[in-house]
Amino acid sequence: DGGITQSPKYLFRKEGQNVTLSCEQNLNHDAMYWYRQDPGQGLRLIYYSQIVNDFQKGDIAEGYSVSREKKESFPLTVTSAQKNPTAFYLCASSRRWSNQPQHFGDGTRLSIL
Amino acid sequence: GIQVEQSPPDLILQEGANSTLRCNFSDSVNNLQWFHQNPWGQLINLFYIPSGTKQNGRLSATTVATERYSLLYISSSQTTDSGVYFCAVERPDNQGGKLIFGQGTELSVKP
């Protein structure tokens, strides 16, 4: 079935460690997005990519990095510079970069050890 | 920036009851979507509805873009409808489908 796969479902980070969250889609969508959700809150945009080899910062990009080397994949790295990384991370994709419905993966819960 | 406000913040219903959730936005939008987040965190796309009315089973949505609001109707609610309902909008001048989310309405349906 077509969809968006995020892995792992749960991730623990030690102090000073970088961790990478995986997002893969087989929907042939051009655009991909990373959002962060804190408890009791809506989602906030971290990074987005309209096309392969291109990406832009969202509203809360500090402490995060991404790459878009393949159309299907948009991994997110949470660096040690992100001082409050504990959150629920959701990846989304859409057919094109604007005016299109976005579809979401099942998310990754990141916690600090 | 654009503001998205959802009401009510919390709602408790008995199974079988009907409800209306509201989303107000402060500026013109390109795109409006309603999502349901279940207790496991999965975010399901319910409607893509920048204007007009759509129906899908017991759920329907109406967006009146000129008056800057959208409504989500849930009829004959079931316990599986529980979770958080989010409204999200995209500004017309945005580059790249950047959705701005409201704070959500948390719905609890009791058997």
Side-chain angles (χ1 to χ4, degrees), chain A:
Chain A
D1 289 348
I4 302 169
T5 301
Q6 290 188 241
S7 62
K9 288 193 182 304
Y10 300 93
L11 187 58
F12 298 91
R13 194 190 90 170
K14 295 179 181 178
E15 293 288 340
Q17 185 182 42
N18 294 349
V19 292
T20 297
L21 285 59
S22 171
C23 178
E24 303 277 335
Q25 55 98 358
N26 60 3
L27 300 168
N28 199 32
H29 285 173
D30 286 325
M32 297 186 74
Y33 313 83
W34 274 106
Y35 293 88
R36 169 180 171 140
Q37 186 179 27
D38 292 288
Q41 303 293 318
L43 280 66
R44 292 182 292 165
L45 184 66
I46 305 172
Y47 268 99
Y48 63 100
S49 169
Q50 300 173 9
I51 199 167
V52 175
N53 293 321
D54 184 58
F55 50 83
Q56 285 83 39
K57 293 181 179 180
D59 300 319
I60 54 166
E62 185 174 353
Y64 301 97
S65 66
V66 294
S67 62
R68 187 87 186 276
E69 298 176 1
K70 299 187 298 182
K71 187 175 184 177
E72 309 79 41
S73 179
F74 191 41
L76 173 75
T77 297
V78 183
T79 74
S80 57
Q82 172 49 246
K83 298 307 179 187
N84 185 21
T86 297
F88 188 46
Y89 291 87
L90 287 149
C91 176
S93 71
S94 61
R95 193 162 44 141
R96 285 185 297 277
W97 57 270
S98 182
N99 216 1
Q100 296 287 318
Q102 292 186 19
H103 301 274
F104 284 77
D106 288 348
T108 293
R109 294 192 186 275
L110 176 61
S111 301
I112 296 297
L113 282 177

Side-chain angles (χ1 to χ4, degrees), chain B:
Chain B
I2 191 168
Q3 302 297 314
V4 181
E5 295 182 358
Q6 292 186 241
S7 60
D10 304 283
L11 187 58
I12 300 174
L13 298 175
Q14 283 299 126
E15 201 168 24
N18 302 330
S19 63
T20 301
L21 281 57
R22 187 176 181 101
C23 172
N24 291 336
F25 42 96
S26 59
D27 205 346
S28 300
V29 298
N30 220 19
N31 170 2
L32 187 143
Q33 295 183 241
W34 282 98
F35 296 92
H36 174 222
Q37 188 168 41
N38 66 23
W40 298 273
Q42 294 173 318
L43 203 65
I44 307 301
N45 194 324
L46 297 176
F47 292 103
Y48 169 75
I49 185 165
S51 64
T53 297
K54 290 186 178 180
Q55 181 154 7
N56 184 2
R58 295 182 296 104
L59 273 59
S60 64
T62 295
T63 297
V64 184
T66 54
E67 296 187 21
R68 299 180 185 169
Y69 73 89
S70 182
L71 301 174
L72 178 68
Y73 304 96
I74 305 174
S75 64
S76 303
S77 58
Q78 301 175 358
T79 56
T80 52
D81 294 332
S82 295
V84 184
Y85 289 81
F86 288 104
C87 163
V89 303
E90 175 191 343
R91 288 182 57 167
D93 57 350
N94 258 356
Q95 295 182 1
K98 294 165 62 176
L99 289 180
I100 301 166
F101 281 76
Q103 295 295 310
T105 291
E106 184 163 7
L107 174 65
S108 179
V109 181
K110 304 297 185 184

